[in-house]
Amino acid sequence: MRNYYLVVGSRPFFDNYLNSVSGEKDSFLDLVRLDDAQQKQGRRLWTPSASLVVRNSDYHGIIAAAHDRLGELIKSFTEDDSNIYIHNPPASLKRQLEIQKDANVISLDVISEKYDIERDPRAFISAINEIRTKIIGQDNAIRDISKSIWYLTNVNRKKPYVIMLYGNSSLGKTELVREISRCFFDSKCMEKHLSMFKNGNYAEYFFGNEPNRSSIGFDLLARESNLVFFDELDKCPEMFYSAFYTLFDNVVFKDYTYDVDISGLLIVLTSNYTSIDEMKRALGLPIFFRIDKFIHFDDFSTEDIYCIIRKEIHDRADEYSAFFSEEDLYTVVSSRIKTHGENARTIKNTIQFAIEELMFQFSGCDIK
């Protein structure tokens, strides 16, 4: 009887599981390639495996048609009593194996990675205080997301929790998500930049139409934490919204190829919308009402701009301290930055140009 071990989770989780199992193991994809090469030469010299590893990346190494007989392929490469370790199996393969288990044809174990959020109350307070020192000018937004994080650390929620961070560009939305990842999810996060998905050519990713291609289901199965970050939802074509309906609304996400348990998922979206009404019009009510919380990022005040300038100048002092002082740099920068309407990107660009200019001048290389 063949012994199947389905390991569901990230690649490090799968690798750690394999390391805990003693003995030599063969690679499924290596055997597929060896078999193809030997068939072309009219011979077959390899022997069936006693211990076979099927990695999730192997699914991309075989043609789409082969996925219909993936179970038979695995069987053909193994001995009758072999151990077979499969990482994140496609839903169809898992169903086939479950039927065989019920018929007592095989043995089947499922080993799933467990995801959680940092739940220590003392760690929570320390983390939020640290985030406040790093994200300038967004105390209201930090307070609002803190309430949600505190809620999630004190309940065992099943349905995904969806937060939208919105406001003008370069105000700290992405930075806040990364700080949440660092403080509460061990710096692990599934991050996708939706501005890259410009047209219908990316439908395969959102809906998983090709089993040998990467998809959102494939990535969700391989995630390393329960934090998922979709940046710039406002740049995503509307044709892909139906994938988000399924993702936001269910404990199990299904695409054409994979079924994924997404219990307890925290999904953070960002956009450059400036108002709730604008979001309703742009996104449409079906997706709007699937978002649990909306957190607005305020434009920077004059005091915020001053603090950001000072922090950026201080943080970069190692670059220029051999040429000039922080005050020298501040004198130049302060005359070039407006008291309103600036964002983090424009401030950093101005400081960058000033550093380059002053370094050139103080080096004695400036040619009049």
Side-chain angles (χ1 to χ4, degrees):
M1 179 182 287
R2 288 178 174 82
N3 307 298
Y4 287 84
Y5 302 89
L6 307 186
V7 184
V8 180
S10 64
R11 292 180 186 179
F13 180 74
F14 182 65
D15 289 339
N16 288 336
Y17 178 80
L18 287 182
N19 291 335
S20 71
V21 179
S22 61
E24 293 294 322
K25 305 172 190 68
D26 298 312
S27 162
F28 169 72
L29 191 56
D30 286 348
L31 286 181
V32 169
R33 289 169 174 166
L34 181 62
D35 183 57
D36 286 344
Q38 292 184 356
Q39 283 192 46
K40 291 177 182 178
Q41 297 171 6
R43 57 180 182 167
R44 185 176 182 179
L45 302 178
W46 59 268
T47 57
S49 173
S51 185
L52 185 68
V53 174
V54 185
R55 296 183 175 276
N56 63 340
S57 55
D58 292 350
Y59 310 137
H60 300 160
I62 59 177
I63 62 174
H67 281 260
D68 294 334
R69 53 188 180 89
L70 183 57
E72 288 301 313
L73 271 176
I74 293 171
K75 183 178 177 181
S76 70
F77 289 129
T78 55
E79 299 175 353
D80 291 342
D81 59 350
S82 60
N83 294 319
I84 303 165
Y85 307 94
I86 304 178
H87 185 204
N88 293 345
S92 59
L93 175 60
K94 186 180 179 186
R95 285 192 292 269
Q96 292 171 20
L97 296 176
E98 287 171 343
I99 291 171
Q100 293 178 46
K101 177 190 176 184
D102 292 340
N104 292 320
V105 176
I106 64 169
S107 73
L108 178 64
D109 288 329
V110 179
I111 303 96
S112 298
E113 186 168 4
K114 304 301 181 186
Y115 303 102
D116 205 359
I117 188 172
E118 171 59 64
R119 293 181 180 271
D120 183 346
R122 292 167 299 180
F124 174 87
I125 295 170
S126 174
I128 296 302
N129 287 335
E130 185 178 351
I131 289 172
R132 284 197 180 103
T133 68
K134 294 188 175 183
I135 309 293
I136 297 174
Q138 303 301 339
D139 286 349
N140 291 333
I142 293 170
R143 179 176 173 78
D144 281 344
I145 203 167
S146 299
K147 295 174 186 176
S148 299
I149 298 295
W150 180 251
Y151 162 75
L152 293 173
T153 61
N154 284 277
V155 301
N156 290 307
R157 181 184 171 103
K158 295 297 184 183
K159 185 173 177 287
Y161 190 90
V162 186
I163 298 175
M164 168 69 83
L165 310 181
Y166 71 100
N168 284 316
S169 177
S170 299
L171 296 176
K173 298 185 289 292
T174 298
E175 289 77 8
L176 179 55
V177 180
R178 289 174 181 163
E179 285 299 313
I180 295 296
S181 171
R182 183 181 64 82
C183 294
F184 295 98
F185 294 92
D186 196 26
S187 295
K188 297 172 182 176
C189 173
M190 174 179 155
E191 182 173 332
K192 296 295 174 184
H193 298 271
L194 298 179
S195 58
M196 298 175 62
F197 299 92
K198 288 294 188 182
N199 53 52
N201 294 332
Y202 293 96
E204 290 176 356
Y205 179 78
F206 282 97
F207 305 113
N209 292 334
E210 294 291 338
N212 62 339
R213 303 284 183 87
S214 184
S215 70
I216 193 171
F218 179 91
D219 286 343
L220 283 167
L221 272 174
R223 71 191 187 276
E224 293 189 70
S225 82
N226 251 359
L227 176 62
V228 174
F229 174 32
F230 291 116
D231 195 24
E232 295 188 306
L233 182 64
D234 50 314
K235 306 296 193 304
C236 183
E238 187 176 348
M239 69 183 77
F240 301 137
Y241 285 177
S242 60
F244 294 116
Y245 301 162
T246 305
L247 183 61
F248 296 172
D249 255 359
N250 297 282
V251 175
V252 176
F253 174 82
K254 298 183 179 184
D255 63 17
Y256 181 82
T257 306
Y258 297 101
D259 293 350
V260 191
D261 182 349
I262 53 172
S263 300
L265 208 65
L266 171 58
I267 302 172
V268 183
L269 316 168
T270 65
S271 71
N272 291 336
Y273 299 123
T274 57
S275 71
I276 294 291
D277 287 339
E278 183 185 5
M279 266 187 288
K280 284 183 179 179
R281 291 192 301 270
L283 297 177
L285 296 183
I287 194 168
F288 178 86
F289 286 121
R290 285 174 166 84
I291 298 172
D292 295 291
K293 189 169 189 177
F294 299 87
I295 298 178
H296 182 255
F297 273 57
D298 299 319
D299 290 342
F300 292 142
S301 67
T302 301
E303 182 179 355
D304 295 334
I305 293 170
Y306 172 78
C307 291
I308 293 170
I309 293 171
R310 281 296 190 181
K311 183 177 185 301
E312 181 72 7
I313 287 175
H314 179 72
D315 289 347
R316 298 185 62 176
D318 287 348
E319 295 180 30
Y320 58 78
S321 58
F323 297 90
F324 50 85
S325 69
E326 291 186 23
E327 288 306 315
D328 291 329
L329 181 55
Y330 178 74
T331 299
V332 173
V333 170
S334 62
S335 66
R336 299 179 180 181
I337 290 183
K338 302 185 292 292
T339 57
H340 292 88
E342 299 281 1
N343 61 45
R345 186 171 289 111
T346 60
I347 292 170
K348 288 180 179 181
N349 285 344
T350 301
I351 291 173
Q352 175 66 35
F353 297 150
I355 290 173
E356 293 177 11
E357 181 179 318
L358 288 176
M359 286 181 69
F360 196 59
Q361 291 177 0
F362 277 77
S363 69
C365 296
D366 195 5
I367 302 173
K368 301 296 185 181

